Structures are given as C-alpha cells and as structure tokens.
Amino acid sequence: MRKRNDIAWLPLNSLRALAAVHETGSVGAAADTLKVTHGAVSQHLRGLEDRLERKLFTRSGNRLVMLPDAADLADNLLQNFRAIAGDIVQFRRDENILNITVTPHFAQHWLLPRLGEFLQHHPEIDLRINTDATVHDLARGDFDAAVRHGDGNWPGVNCERLLEGWDTVVAAPSVLESVSIQTPQELTKLPWILDEDRDIEMSNWFDDHGVAHQAHTRITRLPSALTLVAALDGHGLAWLPHVYAAPYLTSGRLVQLLSDDRWQAQNTRHYYLCWADNKNRPAFRTFRQWIRRQLPD
C-alpha cells in the first residue's frame, strides 16, 4: 500500500486538468489554458476518476458539471498549484539577484557612471549594491561578490585585479592661487581633507614623506564619498586614488601636486573583484565579463 504522502503516484497532468476546468469553467477553456486539445483534457478527467475511483462530474445536457466534493478538491489544487508557480517564479528571480558589496569611492566615482550600460543590456539581472568598507564573508554571507581595496590576499576567495590603486595629492586650482608647493613639507601650509576610512594609510604617507601631522593648518575628516566632492569645491588638499581623480585632472578641475613616482612604485594596494567558488553563478559571471570590458587596455 502506498503512503498517503507518497508523491510518486500523483497523476499531475490529470490534477492540473481538473484545476484548470474548475478555474475556467469548461473543458474547452481549460484546453486553451493548458495548450492541449479538448480531447486530451477529457481523457485526463476520465483517467483521474478511474485513479481516484470516484465520480468527479455529472452531465447536464452537453455540459460536464463538477460535483461539490470534486470542486472542493479542485479549489485546493488550484491554490497549491498557484503557490508552486509562485515558488518557481521566486526561485528564478533569486537566481538573477546579484548582491555586490563595493567600497564607497569605487561605487560613486567608477561604478555608478558606468552602471546604466549594464542595466540596459542586462535587465534580467536584479543588481543590488552595498557600499561600505566592511570585509564581508563572501562564502557564507549574503553577498555574491565584492570590490575590495587592498593587497588581494584575502583567504578563501578568488581575487581579480581591476584597477591600479595608487594615490595622489590633488587640489582645486583656487586652493593653490597664493602658494607654491615644491616639497611634501610645504603641504602643511594648506588645509587637508582626509578620508576617515583611510586614516592609517594617509598617516603612513605622511610618515614616509617626513611630514608631521601636527604641523598642518587644518585637517577635516569626511566619509569616503565626500572627499572628492570637497576637493572639487576647493575646501583643501585631498589624497585620492588616481583612477578617480584622473578625469578631473584632465579637465583641469583638479591639479596634481608633487610627482610621486616612488610612492606609486611601492604601492601594493589595488582594486580587486572578489568572489567565492560557491557564488560563481551565471548572474555573477555576466557581471564579471561586463566589468572586465570597462577596464582600460
């Protein structure tokens, strides 16, 4: 004897036919809904009566009329089939959800200006972007991938270098109107805007160039996303990733102070796209291919 919850014996096509007749009100309409012939639906209904060993319909003229108990069964089936359909839709949607966590600078000044192209060409992907400086667990957490700034040595994840991460000192031309900067020490004559998330890195740069922190006229610490904006508005010097400052250096809205080839050559911190093996889904592979096409040759 089969167990009551054994799904192997369920005549699914016949049950779908019963639910469709109940929903549409006739065998012909059910056949249109299921995209089969009228005869196929009738055959499924006869087979279901044989399988259940119960009458499901009575005939009234040329019409089949569903018996009350059969209508109750069909109503329950219809609700459950709809729930299954909803689960399938959600499953497919989840497969196309892509959760990416990126640094604030990268999001604002590199990713967002290019994102419209990705969304236009891949509307099937539900892209969700988190911006913070936290190093999330990609293997066990909610994020599928991350863009991180560092040396690329994060255990348990794959890392692919995207952009050179060396930094440069910049300022709006208005900040430099009354001064001439020739050495790092002379930078203390001007106010500074520092990224509050990169205070240690900035301190290392000061120390490496023999600049005393306490000698500065003024230091203002701002969130990552605001340092470039404040520099463009002429509020002081800023120490920024060159890749973000480059367009404004080209346009003349910012000026680079001091050629710092030695610091650039020593830099080991870059921007990496990182992912765990268990998150290498089609949606991520599409994003990875797209982001690689955006990189300079």
Side-chain angles (χ1 to χ4, degrees), residues 3 77 84 91 93 114 176 201-202 212 250 271 289:
K3 297 180 181 178
L77 288 171
I84 292 171
F91 179 82
R93 183 181 297 122
R114 295 167 172 82
L176 307 173
E201 296 170 77
M202 188 72 244
T250 301
Y271 288 90
Q289 291 170 359

Side-chain angles (χ1 to χ4, degrees), residues 148-253:
R148 295 176 177 172
H149 182 252
D151 60 9
N153 185 25
W154 294 285
V157 295
N158 306 290
C159 291
E160 181 175 86
R161 192 162 83 177
L162 298 178
L163 300 168
E164 296 288 332
W166 60 278
D167 299 279
T168 188
V169 179
V170 300
S174 60
V175 176
L176 307 173
E177 288 176 350
S178 59
V179 296
S180 175
I181 303 297
Q182 303 298 325
T183 67
Q185 289 71 26
E186 292 176 318
L187 296 174
T188 60
K189 300 176 183 178
L190 297 170
W192 274 84
I193 305 157
L194 296 187
D195 182 342
E196 64 185 7
D197 294 325
R198 303 181 64 203
D199 196 49
I200 294 177
E201 296 170 77
M202 188 72 244
S203 296
N204 292 338
W205 189 92
F206 283 146
D207 292 339
D208 190 68
H209 290 77
V211 180
H213 297 200
Q214 62 271 21
H216 289 79
T217 57
R218 188 183 80 234
I219 295 179
T220 302
R221 288 175 170 80
L222 295 174
S224 296
L226 299 181
T227 50
L228 176 56
V229 176
L232 290 168
D233 287 343
H235 295 303
L237 305 179
W239 187 66
L240 296 171
H242 185 271
V243 65
Y244 304 141
Y248 304 101
L249 295 172
T250 301
S251 68
R253 293 188 63 189

Side-chain angles (χ1 to χ4, degrees), residues 98-114:
L98 185 61
N99 285 305
I100 305 290
T101 177
V102 303
T103 63
H105 262 311
F106 184 87
Q108 182 175 9
H109 302 301
W110 195 92
L111 182 58
L112 290 181
R114 295 167 172 82

Side-chain angles (χ1 to χ4, degrees), residues 32-87:
D32 291 339
T33 297
L34 297 176
K35 294 181 173 53
V36 297
T37 65
H38 185 288
V41 173
S42 297
Q43 184 176 352
H44 281 310
L45 297 178
R46 288 194 298 271
L48 185 60
E49 287 183 326
D50 292 341
R51 182 70 65 91
L52 298 179
E53 298 179 350
R54 289 188 59 173
K55 293 289 293 181
L56 301 175
F57 295 88
T58 185
R59 185 169 292 279
S60 176
N62 293 326
R63 295 179 59 250
L64 286 179
V65 178
M66 194 175 294
L67 295 172
D69 287 348
D72 290 341
L73 172 63
D75 189 58
N76 288 332
L77 288 171
L78 190 59
Q79 293 183 45
N80 283 293
F81 281 136
R82 285 172 175 163
I84 292 171
D87 289 341

